[in-house]
Amino acid sequence: MATDASPQLRSVPPPSDFHPEISLSQSPTHDGLHFWQFMIAGSIAGTVEHMAMFPLDTLKTRMQALGASCSVQPVSVRQALGSILKLEGPPGLYRGIAAMGLGAGPAHAVYFSVYELSKQVLSRGDPNNSMVHAASGVVATVTSDAVFTPMDMVKQRLQLKNSPYKGVAECVRMVVMEEGIGAFYASYRTTVIMNAPFTAVHFATYEAAKRELMEVSPDTANDERLVIHATAGAGAGALAAALTTPLDVVKTQLQCQGVCGCDKFSSSSIGNVIETIVKKDGYRGLMRGWIPRTLFHAPAAAICWSIYEASKSFFQQLNSR
């Protein structure tokens, strides 16, 4: 005669909130998101940001590359824009956008995911520590710049007036054949030295501004939160861009050296490049392109942070189901 199974052998149903697919994956971070979700959110935000603002990036590159071989009169944003439209038409503003598309997604996936991971590790229970935000930003930029610098160099060479390259593939092939792999990283040190303070100022300012704005209006709706993220991002991006323009000029000179009349430097020494710029163009040469750079980073940061925060909210809602 069959008997009931002993109590200890009876199967116990899992708790109602048990989800095996979540328990087997990486534990959520401080924002309730997984590492891969930060990567996707960052990749989307970075790609949209750079593609949307690409024409201003082209203007900045053109203005910063001028005067490399000889001293010339400063060129305004209006003059640079007029020259491109007259000689090349609107497509001239988008030369190199393919390289940007190839580099921005992976680089920003690394950028934001490393930032969030570093912020979680360094915060030690204090999510409002500005020094932690700045330090996390520096760690993020050192890592992401290693991914982005090669494509950024290709992008800037394609943006030059009368660029000898027809596209990304040809530029990569010719650089490898004529200058070697190291040419892709000639500006890496300068890029990191520039982006470290840029990102420190940017992230710390953004987090502080966002926190203050949220405290002023804590019960904001989703559309109002979007405005807060955009406002904080725009202010942080503009401030960081203006402060780091001189190093951005050095980076452009190193990445474009030897192309379209730009000087060829004997080393990637920042001091050597600065000395050359100041000798030929004066100290004003170090601020070439600061207006389009600021005009680029203010709306770009607003777009990037808005999309990033919106993507995070989407994943948070997805994870809570």
Side-chain angles (χ1 to χ4, degrees):
M1 181 175 179
T3 59
D4 293 334
S6 59
Q8 64 270 26
L9 296 179
R10 290 175 184 163
S11 61
V12 179
S16 59
D17 60 347
F18 177 75
H19 300 281
E21 71 278 5
I22 294 178
S23 64
L24 292 176
S25 63
Q26 181 187 16
S27 300
T29 65
H30 56 285
D31 282 336
L33 270 65
H34 300 283
F35 191 75
W36 65 268
Q37 292 173 323
F38 285 125
M39 295 187 73
I40 292 177
S43 179
I44 295 171
T47 300
V48 174
E49 166 202 359
H50 283 285
M51 302 291 270
M53 303 305 299
F54 194 80
L56 280 172
D57 186 64
T58 298
L59 290 176
K60 174 194 73 77
T61 298
R62 291 287 182 94
M63 293 175 70
Q64 290 180 341
L66 288 172
S69 298
C70 59
S71 180
V72 297
Q73 293 299 314
V75 176
S76 67
V77 176
R78 183 177 179 180
Q79 289 173 319
L81 177 61
S83 176
I84 293 174
L85 293 178
K86 180 180 179 180
L87 300 176
E88 305 167 56
L93 294 170
Y94 290 92
R95 279 187 56 85
I97 195 170
M100 176 62 79
L102 290 172
H108 280 76
V110 173
Y111 187 67
F112 280 105
S113 57
V114 170
Y115 170 71
E116 295 287 359
L117 182 62
S118 299
K119 187 169 68 171
Q120 181 182 19
V121 172
L122 298 176
S123 63
R124 296 185 178 181
D126 182 10
N128 298 326
N129 190 324
S130 294
M131 291 301 295
V132 167
H133 299 151
S136 299
V138 172
V139 174
T141 198
V142 171
T143 309
S144 65
D145 283 343
V147 177
F148 188 59
T149 296
M151 278 296 106
D152 187 45
M153 185 272 273
V154 173
K155 181 264 300 180
Q156 288 204 306
R157 291 198 176 195
L158 290 170
Q159 286 175 318
L160 293 174
K161 181 180 179 180
N162 300 322
S163 174
Y165 312 109
K166 294 181 180 180
V168 175
E170 180 178 316
C171 181
V172 171
R173 180 175 58 82
M174 291 183 66
V175 170
V176 171
M177 291 177 58
E178 298 175 2
E179 304 173 52
I181 298 294
F184 291 104
Y185 283 94
S187 68
Y188 177 67
R189 181 174 58 180
T190 303
T191 301
V192 170
I193 292 174
M194 174 190 71
N195 282 341
F198 174 91
T199 310
V201 172
H202 189 165
F203 278 85
T205 303
Y206 171 76
E207 296 280 7
K210 181 180 71 172
R211 183 170 64 251
E212 292 298 324
L213 291 171
M214 294 289 281
E215 288 178 357
V216 171
S217 182
D219 299 323
T220 54
N222 288 336
D223 56 342
E224 292 173 327
R225 287 179 179 270
L226 184 65
V227 173
I228 288 175
H229 296 149
T231 303
L239 177 62
L243 292 176
T244 57
T245 294
L247 285 169
D248 190 52
V249 174
V250 173
K251 184 202 74 169
T252 298
Q253 297 278 358
L254 284 171
Q255 291 188 157
C256 298
Q257 60 180 315
V259 181
C260 298
C262 294
D263 277 349
K264 179 73 175 178
F265 300 99
S266 58
S267 71
S268 58
S269 167
I270 297 174
N272 181 34
V273 178
I274 290 177
E275 183 180 356
T276 302
I277 294 171
V278 172
K279 182 178 179 180
K280 295 185 175 181
D281 296 322
Y283 286 101
R284 70 184 181 187
L286 294 172
M287 292 303 294
R288 285 189 181 278
W290 77 270
I291 294 178
R293 176 171 163 79
T294 303
L295 291 175
F296 172 93
H297 280 286
I303 293 171
C304 187
W305 281 112
S306 298
I307 295 177
Y308 180 65
E309 296 285 4
S311 299
K312 284 173 60 177
S313 296
F314 169 78
F315 282 126
Q316 286 168 344
Q317 293 175 9
L318 188 66
N319 292 346
S320 64
R321 293 177 182 177

